[in-house]
Amino acid sequence: MNERIYPTPRLLMGPGPSDVSPRVLAAMSRPLVGHLDPEFLSLMNRIQDQLRKVFQTSNQLTIAVSGTGSAGMEAAVVNFVEPGYRTLVGANGVFGQRLAEEMRRSGAECTVVEAPFGEPLDIEAMRKAAAECRPQVIAVVQAETSTGVLQPIEPIREICDEHDALLLVDAVTSLGGHPVEIDKRRIDICYSGTQKCLSCPPGLAPLTVSEAALERLKSRKTPCQSWYLDLKLVMNYWGENRAYHHTAPISMNFALYESLAIILDEGLEARFTRHRKNHLALVSGIEAMGLKMHVAPLYRLWTLNTVAIPEGIDDLKVRKQLLSEYNLEIGGGLGALAGKVWRVGLMGESSRARNVLFFLYALERCLAAQGYSCAAGSGVAAASAVLEGQ
Ligand SMILES: *Cc1c(COP(=O)(O)O)cnc(C)c1O
């Protein structure tokens, strides 16, 4: 007999996936319908409407790409970049670097402006690079999950305007946690993933495209290198033709519908406030324990917190103890920050006051096991003060 799968219930406070509501899990277990069933087609229309609300846009081309966040990234790049295109990527973390790699693989002449992991992009450096390479597309990551940095979008948009470049933004760890404001900030191409602040399992990548970007797509001279992610073809299925391209992941779309319904029921403003407040409580607790945040206050994400690992503490041992004794998952550092920070996610369903308090308690115990001392309960007390204070 094959054993059945019964994973231990975990509290997911890493860089994703985040906790998923029972409502979403239940939606995934509904009976399948065909991908051309009228009920499914009507569900797709409703998902598009929901996505427009969450992205804060009226863009017609707003869909859920099949695949995880990286499929969204790939669709955003391969459709709007042709061989020889001049592109500029701001890379202040692993995901910015991945975007640059995607650009190069698509045949773009890609200029990369780097910034230290933990800092936002240097706008003057971006402006100077743009003046030299005259980019047709500028790409940045709004929420760098590898570093915990929130990148201001407005100054990047200004540079785009100076060169008539399309603005491409990764919102994988911001959509549903921070305002993305596609129309207000005039973002041309933006993608996300279901498994971060949307609190849906990994498997779909919301994507939205402005009219200007759509024009560029239509005037492409070469076919998109990816058949699977070719938006001109995918659009025929999401649009009025309903032409078969690939079979939509039906159950994942059920899940996305339900998770977006939860978000819209809560309301975007209330959701942003919740994410901000729980983040501030966590920071207050971390600092009360004598630990330090890796990112300066002005640029901290509410959804992903990087905590500097104190001297003499064994990174892996702490994370293993959190998982085995508390069923609590956090992330380690990525790339240049490996071994230097913990990444604590407060995304979607995981962004709860009780999770902040439980994490601070558990972390204190794990640190104490390695001889790190701080006043007992100091983190929990400081976080409670913030949670009660507002
Ligand atoms: C997680 C993440 C991705 C990739 O998403 P996957 O679901 O892992 O494919 C891309 N960009 C950012 C900023 C991310 O956090």
Side-chain angles (χ1 to χ4, degrees):
M1 284 284 280
N2 289 313
E3 276 180 45
R4 294 226 199 140
I5 303 167
Y6 283 113
T8 305
R10 308 284 201 200
L11 175 55
L12 299 177
M13 293 179 69
S18 60
D19 276 348
V20 173
S21 157
R23 266 176 69 178
V24 173
L25 294 176
M28 293 181 81
S29 67
R30 303 272 150 74
L32 274 194
V33 293
H35 67 112
L36 294 172
D37 187 303
E39 289 184 17
F40 187 69
L41 298 178
S42 124
L43 184 79
M44 288 168 67
N45 287 340
R46 281 179 283 156
I47 289 175
Q48 289 185 285
D49 283 339
Q50 292 172 315
L51 283 177
R52 288 185 191 107
K53 289 186 181 130
V54 175
F55 269 125
Q56 298 164 287
T57 184
S58 56
N59 285 343
Q60 179 61 28
L61 180 47
T62 302
I63 63 171
V65 173
S66 305
T68 65
S70 303
M73 183 188 288
E74 196 143 323
V77 172
V78 297
N79 283 283
F80 300 97
V81 168
E82 287 188 72
Y85 253 48
R86 300 177 308 274
T87 69
L88 172 62
V89 176
N92 54 345
V94 167
F95 293 101
Q97 291 175 338
R98 189 181 290 182
L99 258 175
E101 178 64 15
E102 293 267 9
M103 293 281 186
R104 287 189 289 265
R105 289 190 184 205
S106 301
E109 282 172 32
C110 181
T111 302
V112 182
V113 170
E114 300 204 354
F117 279 33
E119 290 177 21
L121 298 166
D122 176 341
I123 296 304
E124 281 322 303
M126 288 290 287
R127 178 166 279 120
K128 193 159 163 276
E132 276 161 27
C133 75
R134 293 174 299 112
Q136 290 154 293
V137 178
I138 301 182
V140 297
V141 178
Q142 186 188 17
E144 236 316 337
T145 323
S146 64
T147 67
V149 168
L150 177 69
Q151 174 61 47
I153 299 301
E154 290 79 358
I156 307 292
R157 179 67 244 183
E158 279 177 23
I159 302 174
C160 286
D161 285 338
E162 289 159 18
H163 298 276
D164 194 23
L166 294 176
L167 174 58
L168 190 165
V169 172
D170 177 317
V172 176
T173 292
S174 43
L175 190 70
H178 281 268
V180 175
E181 302 183 312
I182 296 295
D183 287 359
K184 191 167 157 215
R185 292 174 172 152
R186 293 189 296 121
I187 298 170
D188 289 299
I189 305 145
C190 185
Y191 59 89
S192 188
T194 44
Q195 52 142 324
K196 315 256 168 124
C197 304
L198 303 183
S199 275
C200 178
L204 289 174
L207 174 82
T208 189
V209 173
S210 72
E211 282 300 320
L214 195 56
E215 286 308 311
R216 290 264 185 113
L217 179 68
K218 286 180 181 158
S219 65
R220 275 186 73 110
K221 293 185 187 70
T222 56
C224 175
Q225 75 185 53
S226 166
W227 179 87
Y228 191 71
L229 296 172
D230 185 341
L231 284 178
K232 282 187 186 168
L233 302 177
V234 173
M235 258 157 56
N236 279 332
Y237 174 54
W238 283 88
E240 273 163 23
N241 288 350
R242 300 298 186 184
Y244 165 70
H245 174 252
H246 67 269
T247 312
I250 308 291
S251 310
M252 275 310 304
N253 277 283
F254 289 172
L256 178 59
Y257 175 80
E258 197 67 22
S259 69
L260 294 170
I262 290 173
I263 292 173
L264 296 170
D265 283 349
E266 180 177 9
L268 286 184
E269 284 311 318
R271 195 172 174 91
F272 299 149
T273 303
R274 169 164 69 83
H275 279 80
R276 177 168 177 272
K277 186 170 181 179
N278 291 330
H279 156 75
L280 292 176
L282 180 86
V283 169
S284 170
I286 286 294
E287 290 176 344
M289 288 166 70
L291 301 168
K292 288 197 168 61
M293 297 297 292
H294 177 67
V295 176
L298 205 55
Y299 300 105
R300 282 178 195 155
L301 285 173
W302 305 333
T303 51
L304 192 285
N305 303 271
T306 40
V307 178
I309 300 174
E311 198 84 26
I313 295 295
D314 185 328
D315 167 21
L316 204 58
K317 227 174 179 174
V318 168
R319 284 189 282 132
K320 276 189 176 159
Q321 193 179 350
L322 285 173
L323 192 67
S324 62
E325 286 180 24
Y326 301 92
N327 285 317
L328 196 168
E329 179 183 277
I330 63 165
L334 253 194
L337 293 178
K340 300 202 171 116
V341 299
W342 288 308
R343 293 185 298 153
V344 185
L346 289 173
M347 305 183 190
E349 291 292 315
S350 298
S351 176
R352 300 283 168 207
R354 63 172 184 270
N355 293 351
V356 171
L357 299 173
F358 178 61
F359 165 71
L360 290 168
Y361 166 78
L363 182 65
E364 184 188 310
R365 305 293 299 178
C366 296
L367 289 173
Q370 292 191 41
Y372 180 92
S373 68
C374 60
S378 53
V380 170
S384 317
V386 172
L387 292 167
E388 283 161 19
Q390 284 167 16

